[in-house]
């Protein structure tokens, strides 16, 4: 059934979800970065073959591509977008924040939807990206929208620390003890991480890592909770 939707003139949100489930071959409830990219590319190829516009969803329902193609031109842009919509700095985008994010995105594309449609879109985003089903999206869950080549967060998944280890590292690199890490202190931390994790991290990419991570900062001040989004696994 999912295959029959690929070349349809219109694909509804529910049909897109059906296609998504078809590509989630292992039943994990989510697609990793490369899997998501392959899904989008295959859908685009199928629709081009049918002589249709290369959109995953019809005009009024293509917010996923709008986000990926217009908002997320780089990982730095993703971090800025995250910070904008994680208004309470909780480390999550909750339902109301997600609604505001989608509404703003659609308005930027000169599209207006009613409250019912906005609620439908919000629910679909949660179904697609809320891998632990807690009703809110974490940074790493939202990051699956990033193009794989831009997704440095995937690389940092393998070097995350337990809570205790992270706190110890933060205090070590917060050399002046002012409660936040600045750009120079982050540079030292990243260099050490790259040296210890050469298989996961590329030392030549430190300028890009640093630029993206500092996009989470408050005026150049990277506080513990912000850096924890990247480097802490969250346990003790």
């Amino acid at each position: 059934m999912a295959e029959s939707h690929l070349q349809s003139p219109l694909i509804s949100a529910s049909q897109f979800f059906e296609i998504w489930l078809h590509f989630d071959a292992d039943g994990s409830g989510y697609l990793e970065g490369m899997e998501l990219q392959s899904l989008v590319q295959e859908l685009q190829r199928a629709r081009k073959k049918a002589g249709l516009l290369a959109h995953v969803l019809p005009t009024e329902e293509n917010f996923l591509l709008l986000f990926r193609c217009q908002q997320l031109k780089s990982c730095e842009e993703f971090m800025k977008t995250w910070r904008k919509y994680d208004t309470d700095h909780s480390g999550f985008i909750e339902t109301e924040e997600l609604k505001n994010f989608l509404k703003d995105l659609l308005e930027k594309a000169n599209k207006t939807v009613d409250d019912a449609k906005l609620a439908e879109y919000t629910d679909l985003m949660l179904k697609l990206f809320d891998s632990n089903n807690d009703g809110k999206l974490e940074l790493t869950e939202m990051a699956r929208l990033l193009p794989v080549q831009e997704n440095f967060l995937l690389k940092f998944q393998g070097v995350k620390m337990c809570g205790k280890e992270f706190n110890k590292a933060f205090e070590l690199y917060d050399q002046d003890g002012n409660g936040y890490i600045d750009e120079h202190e982050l540079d030292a931390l990243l260099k050490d991480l790259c040296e210890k994790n050469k298989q996961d991290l590329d030392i030549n990419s430190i300028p890009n890592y640093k630029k993206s991570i500092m996009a989470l900062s408050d005026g150049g001040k990277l506080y513990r909770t912000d850096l924890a989004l990247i480097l802490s696994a969250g346990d003790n």
Side-chain angles (χ1 to χ4, degrees):
M1 180 65 73
E3 293 91 337
S4 65
H5 299 322
L6 292 177
Q7 296 186 20
S8 298
L10 294 177
I11 303 175
S12 69
S14 60
Q15 288 172 329
F16 179 77
F17 186 47
E18 184 178 339
I19 293 170
W20 180 281
L21 292 177
H22 174 75
F23 279 87
D24 181 19
D26 59 3
S28 63
Y30 61 90
L31 302 180
E32 296 293 352
M34 184 62 75
E35 294 172 325
L36 175 59
Q37 185 158 305
S38 297
L39 167 60
V40 172
Q41 289 174 345
E42 185 165 339
L43 285 168
Q44 289 177 331
R45 283 196 297 268
R47 293 174 68 77
K48 283 181 180 178
K49 187 181 295 185
L52 304 170
L53 292 176
H55 292 296
V56 175
L57 298 174
T59 302
E60 73 278 8
E61 294 184 278
N62 65 357
F63 59 89
L64 291 176
L65 277 184
L66 286 172
F67 180 72
R68 186 166 189 174
C69 298
Q70 295 183 14
Q71 290 279 3
L72 297 183
K73 296 180 175 64
S74 69
C75 209
E76 182 185 6
E77 285 297 315
F78 171 76
M79 294 300 195
K80 289 179 180 178
T81 302
W82 172 270
R83 177 54 71 218
K84 177 180 178 181
Y85 289 99
D86 180 20
T87 54
D88 56 7
H89 290 215
S90 65
F92 303 91
I93 289 184
E94 301 181 41
T95 301
E96 287 306 311
E97 293 168 329
L98 181 57
K99 281 184 180 179
N100 291 332
F101 153 68
L102 292 175
K103 183 177 181 181
D104 188 20
L105 177 63
L106 290 166
E107 287 177 351
K108 286 181 179 180
N110 297 316
K111 304 182 191 306
T112 303
V113 297
D114 57 27
D115 290 342
K117 201 66 169 177
L118 188 59
E120 179 186 344
Y121 290 165
T122 303
D123 182 60
L124 179 61
M125 285 285 281
L126 288 170
K127 285 180 179 178
L128 294 178
F129 296 106
D130 181 16
S131 57
N132 59 1
N133 297 312
D134 62 358
K136 50 191 176 184
L137 297 180
E138 301 175 19
L139 179 68
T140 50
E141 291 172 329
M142 287 287 283
R144 294 193 195 103
L145 285 169
L146 277 167
V148 172
Q149 64 271 22
E150 292 288 350
N151 200 341
F152 88 104
L153 289 168
L154 291 177
K155 298 182 182 296
F156 276 80
Q157 286 296 303
V159 302
K160 282 193 171 187
M161 315 170 197
C162 68
K164 185 177 181 180
E165 186 181 4
F166 168 76
N167 287 328
K168 185 176 180 180
F170 186 91
E171 291 163 7
L172 175 64
Y173 289 94
D174 178 19
Q175 297 173 358
D176 50 14
N178 57 11
Y180 61 85
I181 285 180
D182 61 28
E183 189 171 352
H184 298 294
E185 292 166 335
L186 179 62
D187 190 67
L189 187 158
L190 289 174
K191 285 179 179 177
D192 286 348
L193 276 178
C194 287
E195 285 295 333
K196 294 177 182 178
N197 301 276
K198 292 182 179 179
Q199 290 186 338
D200 295 305
L201 303 177
D202 178 10
I203 197 166
N204 295 316
S205 296
I206 285 179
N208 292 330
Y209 297 158
K210 184 167 61 175
K211 192 175 182 181
S212 296
I213 294 173
M214 288 304 294
L216 289 173
S217 70
D218 183 3
K221 300 177 181 179
L222 193 65
Y223 290 98
R224 189 183 303 255
T225 53
D226 297 321
L227 187 57
L229 294 174
I230 309 297
L231 294 180
S232 176
D235 52 355
N236 294 323

